[in-house]
Structure formats: C-alpha cells, structure tokens
Amino acid sequence: MSFMYELEALNEEVLYYYLESITVTDVERIVAKERLTNRDYLALLSPAAGTCLELLAQYAHRKSVQYFGHTIQLFTPLYMANYCDNGCIYCGYSYYSDVERVKLNLSDIEAEGRAIRGTGLEHILLLTGESQRHTPLMYIEAAIRKLSPLFSSVNIEIYSLSKEDYSQLVKAGLDGMTMFQETYNPALYEILHPFGPKRNFKKRIDTPEFACQAGVRTVTIGALMGLDEWRLEAYKTGLHVQYLMKHYPYVDLSVSTPRIRPCAVGYTPNYPLKDRELVQYILALRIAFPRLGITISSRESAYMRDHLVHLGVTKMSAGVSTAVGGHTKETAQGESKQFEISDDRSVHDMARMIRKQGYEPIFKDWQLL
Ligand code: SF4
C-alpha cells in the first residue's frame, strides 16, 4: 500500500465544497480540540480560518511550546554539485539552463564542511542537482563519510533512491533526508517535469517511505508552494504526513514550506502564495500535527522569519549560500545559484535574533553513535 492510493482516492470538488462550507464558529470549535481529524485540518486551511489567524496563532504557539519548548534548530545547506538530468521548468539548475556546472571534489567538500562547522552548526544538509551520472551514489556516500565525523546530523536532498541505497547511506552515517514532491497534482507534475528520471510521479511520492523503511532517522517532505492552488497542496501534504506518521511512527518527520523564488530560468508561479496564506498553512500544520517538525528556509525574508519564530516553526536555515562551494569560494557566488535567497543572515545573526525573541537556537539535538 502506497500513499499514492490515498491521493488517487481524493475528490477535489468535494474538498473545495467542504472548504467553502466552513464557518468561523467551526474553526473556533476545531482549534480547541485535543486531536484533529483530516477534515479538521482541511477546515483550518479554509477561507473562514484565514479570517481568524490571531486565534490560530494562539493555539499554534501553545502547542509548539508544549511539544518543542522555546527552541529553533539551525542548519545550513552545502551545495556539492549542480549537474541535473531533469527539466523542471521552475528551476535554475534544470538540464537546459545555461548555468555553469560545478561539482566539488572530496577535499572541497571537507573544506566546505569545516567552514560550516566553524560557525557552530552541527546539522548539515547536502544537496546536488539530480544527476546519477555526475553525482552517483558512491559520491554521495563518500561525502557523508567525510562529513559525519564533523557533524552530529548529516542530511541529504538529492535524487530518489531505493530502500537499499538509503540503507547503504545510513551505514555511512546518513541521519536525514529531504524529498520535495514539488506538487501533489499528478497532471500538473507531468507538465512541470517534461523529461528526466524525476518525471516518475509515483516513484517520487514513494521515496520518503523508502527512506523510512531503510532506517533514515529524520525525513522531511513538502510541496513547492506556488505551483498549484495552495489549499489543496497543503491538505495533500498533511495527508502525506499522516500516512508516514501512521506507518513509521519512529521516524522524526518534518514538513518544509518553500515558496518559489526567482531563479535563472525566470519561471513565474501560477499560484503565488501570499504571506498570510503561508502563515495560515504553518499554523494549520502545527495545530493538526503537534509533533511535526516545521522548517522555514532562507527563501523567506528576514522579516517573515523573525515573525514565524513564535508560530510553530521548529527549524530554520542560517548562513545560507545556494551556490556550489558558496561557503568557501567567493567566485562561486552568483555563477551557479539554484535560486535567490531572501534572508542572507549569518549563523551568528540568526542565533542572536532567536535569542532576542526568548527562544534558544539549537545547534545540536542529536548524536549518531
Ligand atoms: S528542482 Fe532539482 S531536479 Fe529539478 S531541475 Fe532543479 S535541481 Fe534538477
């Protein structure tokens, strides 16, 4: 049984009808419940719930403190390569983009890792474009082996792997993985991914599950907000969370809520997500899934991220460069960025902002033995 079957069973017309039927009174009743159903989560994404963000924020804050305390975990991405065999039409690294292609060797990767470690961070996210030819499993495994002595948590965001491949990486020291579904709309997915291995929608949707089965400790999923109507994407992401929580209760699960940013290919999103809508999505996730990690990246502005500290977010990136080698090589900046970031504050500045708000920045919350 795969989450795909649950997704296929959804009737979007019925979902829209339900969303429109929700009233403020319904929302007031739902937020006060101890355990929420799928329908309750959907109700929190409704237009009516969008008019009660203050109320949602109070409940989300309470649940966040109850389950996570006053903490925000910090991490940073390390871009190891930007070769990609896919044609995602919204991404600056896509196959036809004329961005300069770069791939770090192992000593470059170690130097990047040491530079990042020097900032105090202990959680790192390794990224590549999606090219098994240029960045094969052995390359990823070697990077994990090189970096795991330096970091308490090494995570990857790369192409889809099999359960066996994830097991191999876990043995090498892998702690976590991120896999964005991009959109949970299969028809739209086909249009946005005209060629390349990523075109396989079902394989993509099953990949986080393979990671769970292989013993990856922490798994992050999400949709790229702006590709499709946000309420549907948010709801389907929630269903995916629920599916994984039910079948893999021992996995530390998170959702990331990235909005499309400007990039080299100049893609304009059809459904740009407003700030209030992003906030509503995060609040609904927190209230419906109190144990869920919620990640907000530097795609968001400093202003936005500062205000989200109290509203249910648990992880933030800091000291970010989306250029390959961007932590050590100044010349890499601007030549190979996947997308423009919005919040370029250093780790030190992010930690200071978090402390100023009465929260504790967490550099390490896990040690692989
Ligand atoms: S989103 Fe990922 S897979 Fe798609 S073009 Fe960009 S790097 Fe490649």
Side-chain angles (χ1 to χ4, degrees):
M1 187 72 171
S2 150
F3 174 61
M4 189 70 192
Y5 295 105
E6 286 189 22
L7 199 59
E8 283 172 343
L10 288 178
N11 181 330
E12 293 188 358
E13 231 175 280
V14 173
L15 296 182
Y16 276 123
Y17 182 80
Y18 183 73
L19 280 167
E20 291 304 323
S21 73
I22 295 298
T23 65
V24 169
T25 312
D26 293 328
V27 176
E28 288 167 349
R29 177 180 51 78
I30 288 166
V31 288
K33 287 173 73 172
E34 201 51 47
R35 296 183 70 139
L36 275 67
T37 64
N38 290 346
R39 286 161 70 93
D40 292 334
Y41 173 56
L42 183 59
L44 297 185
L45 299 170
S46 67
T51 66
C52 344
L53 289 190
E54 271 301 319
L55 177 71
L56 264 56
Q58 285 168 23
Y59 278 89
H61 176 65
R62 212 175 295 162
K63 287 205 173 171
S64 212
V65 172
Q66 187 183 349
Y67 283 84
F68 293 91
H70 293 88
T71 63
I72 300 285
Q73 188 201 100
L74 295 176
F75 70 97
T76 209
L78 190 173
Y79 279 76
M80 303 195 297
N82 63 0
Y83 288 90
C84 191
D85 296 334
N86 294 296
C88 314
I89 65 175
Y90 48 82
C91 176
Y93 279 179
S94 74
Y95 183 77
Y96 284 129
S97 161
D98 57 6
V99 70
E100 181 194 357
R101 300 293 168 173
V102 195
K103 174 180 161 185
L104 301 183
N105 62 31
L106 264 188
S107 60
D108 290 337
I109 291 170
E110 185 177 8
E112 285 272 303
R114 289 197 183 279
I116 291 168
R117 190 67 193 82
T119 66
L121 290 179
E122 294 240 16
H123 289 237
I124 192 168
L125 176 64
L126 309 181
L127 294 101
T128 62
E130 298 197 16
S131 173
Q132 268 182 296
R133 287 182 301 144
H134 291 97
T135 51
L137 191 66
M138 274 174 61
Y139 174 79
I140 308 291
E141 182 178 349
I144 293 170
R145 285 195 191 282
K146 186 60 87 180
L147 294 173
S148 53
L150 292 176
F151 293 91
S152 64
S153 179
V154 177
N155 301 261
I156 53 169
E157 185 181 333
I158 61 166
Y159 44 83
S160 295
L161 298 176
S162 65
K163 178 183 166 189
E164 291 69 30
D165 290 343
Y166 282 119
S167 296
Q168 189 176 327
L169 295 186
V170 168
K171 284 184 196 130
L174 179 70
D175 185 47
M177 65 83 78
T178 294
M179 174 67 44
F180 288 108
Q181 185 57 36
E182 317 296 12
T183 174
Y184 284 90
N185 176 341
L188 178 64
Y189 188 94
E190 212 174 304
I191 296 166
L192 295 171
H193 305 97
F195 61 87
K198 186 174 170 180
R199 192 169 158 77
N200 187 332
F201 181 86
K202 182 173 184 306
K203 185 175 178 197
R204 188 98 183 164
I205 226 162
D206 286 341
T207 299
E209 184 161 13
F210 297 153
C212 293
Q213 291 167 350
V216 177
R217 187 186 69 88
T218 165
V219 168
T220 301
I221 61 169
L224 182 54
M225 305 308 287
L227 297 177
D228 198 6
E229 205 285 315
W230 78 270
R231 291 189 168 91
L232 285 184
E233 294 286 34
Y235 181 59
K236 292 169 186 176
T237 304
L239 292 185
H240 200 179
V241 165
Q242 195 192 50
Y243 173 89
L244 293 172
M245 278 183 167
K246 181 174 156 199
H247 293 276
Y248 308 96
Y250 45 84
V251 172
D252 180 5
L253 203 61
S254 293
V255 162
S256 186
T257 60
R259 288 193 281 189
I260 289 192
R261 293 283 304 150
C263 70
V265 292
Y267 175 79
T268 309
N270 285 330
Y271 299 89
L273 190 68
K274 297 189 182 87
D275 288 354
R276 282 185 66 87
E277 293 167 339
L278 177 65
V279 170
Q280 184 181 351
Y281 176 26
I282 290 170
L283 297 176
L285 278 175
R286 172 52 62 237
I287 294 169
F289 306 102
R291 285 188 298 118
L292 180 72
I294 301 178
T295 303
I296 196 91
S297 77
S298 56
R299 287 170 181 257
E300 298 302 329
S301 66
Y303 176 85
M304 191 72 180
R305 298 216 296 171
D306 291 3
H307 284 81
L308 286 171
V309 166
H310 294 265
L311 300 182
V313 168
T314 57
K315 297 179 195 175
M316 289 189 181
S317 51
V320 173
S321 167
T322 61
V324 178
H327 294 278
T328 52
K329 300 179 180 176
E330 280 304 312
T331 51
Q333 295 283 348
E335 292 169 4
S336 63
K337 288 181 190 170
Q338 187 181 25
F339 55 85
E340 299 293 334
I341 61 170
S342 190
D343 183 357
D344 63 357
R345 281 177 293 181
S346 67
V347 175
H348 176 78
D349 287 348
M350 282 296 293
R352 195 170 51 183
M353 175 280 285
I354 290 165
R355 286 197 186 98
K356 220 168 141 187
Q357 301 211 39
Y359 277 59
E360 187 61 29
I362 303 294
F363 291 81
K364 171 180 178 177
D365 75 346
W366 170 258
Q367 177 69 56
L368 200 61
L369 296 174

